[in-house]
Structures are given as structure tokens and as C-alpha cells.
């Protein structure tokens, strides 16, 4: 908490009141502007975070998944995801996966950990969209001969699948909803 000199608040009652109200207003603005609950990442924020990630040496996939989990918390709010470009329901409801909302601006032939092409949501019992997972879609230049899967997370835990219907290498990461089959499993048996 910021300490003020004693003489700052002990002048005239009117001046003290004005300073007190000003300090309250400034404190309120700082509280709202620094709130992590309302944090919204846009593409520029993701680019900066990705550059920071690339400059650090993570020694395991668990640390990478934790970073991804932290960076996707703003997507718990479906309106934030839509406003940031994940606004096309590319799949409708898929059992044990949910709806795949894609950001078409991110669809390319490159894996970027902090820029998943799809966010997975499912409606809860009240009809609100609940964030579940992310999905990466990496489109090879020749889908008839896709080559080897992309280098994704460290280690061998992330098993990529080539989806011939979409023409892309795909990988799910269950960053919000627990998955008994594993964080990188394609489907989640807890989701009907």
C-alpha cells in the first residue's frame, strides 16, 4: 500500500476530502486495470508471450502446458474468445470433444504453442459456454503427403493425428477440463 506523508492529509478539511476522494478513485482504477480476472489477451499479447516463451528454456512439457493454461484463462469467458477471433463454430457438437471454435487468422502450417487455432467449448446445464481445451491445426503444404507431425510440446507425450477430413495435423490439449485419458488425448470420456 502506498504511504502518504502525514501532512498530505492534514491540511484543510475540504482539501483532505478532495485528496481522499482522488486517492480512492486512483486506487479503484488501478485495482480494475490490474485485475487478472478481467485479463484479455489479444493477438499482440499472444505474440509477446510466445516470444517470451521462446526465449526461455522450458525443460518439460508439463511446464509448457502450465504456461498455456495460464495464458488461456481469459477464454473461460466465451465473449472474450469470440471478440478475439475464435468465432467460427467449425464442427458443431462433437461427442467427447465439444464445439471447435476456430480463429481463421491463425490457420497456417506452423505450430505456435500460445496461438491454438481452435478453442473447445460445451454448453453447461444453463446453456452457458464452458471452456474445455485447445486444439492445434497445422496444415501441411501438401495434404496428400502430409509428412511427419509437427514438433509440438517437448518430449513424446503429444501424439498428433492427421485428420484427412480437415487436411491438417491436429492435437488437443485439455487445459481446463480434466481428462482421465491424458492432457493430450484426442477425446475426453467425461464429456458426453
Amino acid at each position: 500500500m502506498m504511504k502518504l506523508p502525514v501532512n498530505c492529509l492534514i491540511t484543510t478539511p475540504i482539501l483532505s476530502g478532495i485528496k481522499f476522494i482522488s486517492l480512492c478513485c486512483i486506487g479503484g482504477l488501478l485495482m480494475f486495470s490490474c485485475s487478472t480476472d478481467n485479463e484479455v489477451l489479444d493477438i499482440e499479447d499472444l505474440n509477446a508471450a510466445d516470444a517470451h516463451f521462446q526465449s526461455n528454456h522450458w525443460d518439460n512439457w508439463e511446464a509448457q502446458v502450465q504456461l498455456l493454461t495460464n495464458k488461456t484463462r481469459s477464454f473461460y469467458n466465451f465473449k472474450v474468445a469470440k471478440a478475439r477471433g475464435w468465432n467460427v463454430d467449425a464442427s458443431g457438437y462433437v461427442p467427447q470433444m465439444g464445439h471447435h471454435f476456430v480463429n481463421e487468422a491463425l490457420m497456417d502450417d506452423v505450430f505456435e504453442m500460445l496461438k491454438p487455432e481452435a478453442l473447445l467449448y460445451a454448453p453447461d446445464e444453463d446453456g452457458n459456454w464452458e471452456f474445455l481445451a485447445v486444439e492445434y491445426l497445422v496444415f501441411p503444404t501438401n495434404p496428400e503427403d502430409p509428412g511427419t507431425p509437427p514438433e509440438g510440446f517437448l518430449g513424446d507425450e503429444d501424439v498428433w493425428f492427421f485428420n484427412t477430413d480437415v487436411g491438417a495435423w491436429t492435437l488437443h490439449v485439455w487445459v481446463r477440463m480434466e481428462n482421465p485419458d491424458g492432457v493430450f488425448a484426442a477425446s475426453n470420456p467425461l464429456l458426453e
Side-chain angles (χ1 to χ4, degrees):
M1 181 169 197
M2 180 173 60
K3 287 191 161 194
L4 298 173
V6 174
N7 64 355
C8 164
L9 296 175
I10 306 174
T11 53
T12 65
I14 295 174
L15 187 54
S16 295
I18 292 171
K19 287 182 181 179
F20 178 74
I21 291 169
S22 296
L23 288 174
C24 288
C25 291
I26 292 169
L29 288 173
L30 288 173
M31 183 172 60
F32 284 113
S33 67
C34 296
S35 171
T36 57
D37 292 338
N38 296 323
E39 180 183 351
V40 176
L41 292 179
D42 59 19
I43 296 301
E44 288 76 28
D45 291 333
L46 289 172
N47 287 338
D50 196 43
H52 175 72
F53 167 74
Q54 296 297 337
S55 69
N56 287 303
H57 299 287
W58 299 98
D59 56 358
N60 59 54
W61 65 265
E62 291 96 339
Q64 292 178 310
V65 169
Q66 186 58 53
L67 176 64
L68 178 63
T69 301
N70 293 340
K71 293 299 178 183
T72 56
R73 284 203 172 113
S74 63
F75 300 132
Y76 290 10
N77 183 333
F78 181 64
K79 290 178 184 176
V80 170
K82 285 188 77 170
R84 297 294 177 222
W86 286 269
N87 53 17
V88 175
D89 185 353
S91 66
Y93 185 78
V94 177
Q96 298 190 350
M97 286 186 191
H99 293 260
H100 296 69
F101 286 88
V102 298
N103 184 329
E104 294 175 311
L106 298 177
M107 294 194 174
D108 56 25
D109 61 349
V110 178
F111 168 77
E112 294 175 274
M113 190 189 81
L114 297 178
K115 296 186 218 172
E117 288 77 9
L119 304 177
L120 278 63
Y121 287 87
D124 65 14
E125 59 278 351
D126 297 325
N128 298 314
W129 291 104
E130 182 180 357
F131 177 57
L132 309 170
V134 303
E135 182 180 16
Y136 298 96
L137 295 120
V138 176
F139 295 88
T141 52
N142 181 3
E144 298 298 320
D145 183 18
T148 59
E151 289 293 323
F153 291 79
L154 293 172
D156 298 327
E157 297 295 318
D158 61 334
V159 178
W160 291 76
F161 169 74
F162 189 76
N163 184 327
T164 55
D165 293 334
V166 179
W169 287 101
T170 63
L171 174 69
H172 289 88
V173 185
W174 296 88
V175 293
R176 174 89 192 274
M177 183 180 207
E178 185 178 340
N179 189 337
D181 291 343
V183 70
F184 294 117
S187 60
N188 191 329
L190 300 180
L191 190 63
E192 296 179 19

